Amino acid sequence: DAGVTQSPTHLIKTRGQQVTLRCSPKSGHDTVSWYQQALGQGPQFIFQYYEEEERQRGNFPDRFSGHQFPNYSSELNVNALLLGDSALYLCASSPLLGSPLHFGNGTRLTVT
Amino acid sequence: AQSVTQPDIHITVSEGASLELRCNYSYGATPYLFWYVQSPGQGLQLLLKYFSGDTLVQGIKGFEAEFKRSQSSFNLRKPSVHWSDAAEYFCAVFMNRDDKIIFGKGTRLHILP
């Protein structure tokens, strides 16, 4: 049974570019959450998707957007990249709101 | 505002010694509480969780945590640490009102041989 899988594992982009990160949730999970983890910090909540809709959003600008597909997989899009967007982006899935999150290994994004 | 505080950024203990990592939360109701561990370059792994009931919960890898409502704390403990326990530990809280889980800034655990 595969857990949460994220792709790609590493990515290097230039300021101003756009990036798309992908996530497949653990089998049986229908809720996907995205977190940004800057170096030396805890994960910061970006947003959460359920039934293909954004249910909750953290304190992130509109440059951060997402999507959930009918098979529950999800994408995180970031437009107009800034140097400060460099971080580990973690996807997590869960079967129910409030149940423990299952994390992928993350995508390391470097913006130069 | 709701928050999770881990007051210790770094903790160093000797192998075989006991461990306690502190976590305090600020929330108007009894939250769901979690501890996660993260090894370098990896995602987060759930160690244990508290939803309700017995305030002392057991987790994986010999860890336990105690929920103290009066102190708004959920400290993680282990009686005897192993070198493989060296990692970053995160306390997390599920906020019912906001339907999201928020994390503390983490405590990095170093183990001396």
Side-chain angles (χ1 to χ4, degrees), chain A residues 19-39:
Chain A
V19 68
T20 297
L21 311 182
R22 295 176 175 83
C23 171
S24 292
K26 182 179 170 65
S27 177
H29 290 187
D30 57 9
T31 301
V32 174
S33 301
W34 286 91
Y35 288 81
Q36 180 195 65
Q37 186 178 20
L39 202 60

Side-chain angles (χ1 to χ4, degrees), chain A residues 4-64:
Chain A
V4 178
T5 58
Q6 292 186 244
S7 63
T9 54
H10 294 84
L11 204 52
I12 300 175
K13 290 286 190 178
T14 304
R15 275 179 300 175
Q17 287 188 316
Q18 180 264 345
V19 68
T20 297
L21 311 182
R22 295 176 175 83
C23 171
S24 292
K26 182 179 170 65
S27 177
H29 290 187
D30 57 9
T31 301
V32 174
S33 301
W34 286 91
Y35 288 81
Q36 180 195 65
Q37 186 178 20
L39 202 60
Q41 300 294 315
Q44 295 292 312
F45 178 76
I46 303 175
F47 42 54
Q48 178 189 86
Y49 277 84
Y50 173 69
E51 292 187 339
E52 301 180 51
E53 290 190 2
E54 183 182 293
R55 288 181 55 100
Q56 295 292 337
R57 187 178 183 91
N59 188 26
F60 279 81
D62 292 343
R63 299 186 296 108
F64 289 76

Side-chain angles (χ1 to χ4, degrees), chain A residues 35 37 48 56 101 104-105, chain B residues 36 38 43 90 98-99 101:
Chain A
Y35 288 81
Q37 186 178 20
Q48 178 189 86
Q56 295 292 337
L101 297 171
N105 286 335
Chain B
Y36 286 85
Q38 184 179 36
F90 294 95
D98 299 329
D99 284 346
I101 294 177

Side-chain angles (χ1 to χ4, degrees), chain B residues 9-30:
Chain B
I9 299 174
H10 294 272
I11 282 190
T12 301
V13 298
S14 298
E15 190 169 16
S18 63
L19 170 71
E20 182 168 31
L21 302 182
R22 296 184 290 165
C23 173
N24 293 94
Y25 65 91
S26 170
Y27 187 52
T30 300

Side-chain angles (χ1 to χ4, degrees), chain A residues 35 37 40-45 48 55-58 88 90 97-106, chain B residues 32 34 36 38 41-46 49 51 88 90 94 97-106:
Chain A
Y35 288 81
Q37 186 178 20
Q41 300 294 315
Q44 295 292 312
F45 178 76
Q48 178 189 86
R55 288 181 55 100
Q56 295 292 337
R57 187 178 183 91
L88 181 68
L90 294 164
L97 286 174
S99 58
L101 297 171
H102 293 250
F103 282 86
N105 286 335
Chain B
Y32 296 168
F34 310 90
Y36 286 85
Q38 184 179 36
Q42 301 294 309
L44 281 72
Q45 179 184 21
L46 179 71
K49 61 184 184 288
F51 286 172
E88 186 115 30
F90 294 95
F94 174 70
R97 284 198 293 267
D98 299 329
D99 284 346
K100 63 185 179 185
I101 294 177
I102 65 170
F103 287 80
K105 292 187 176 182

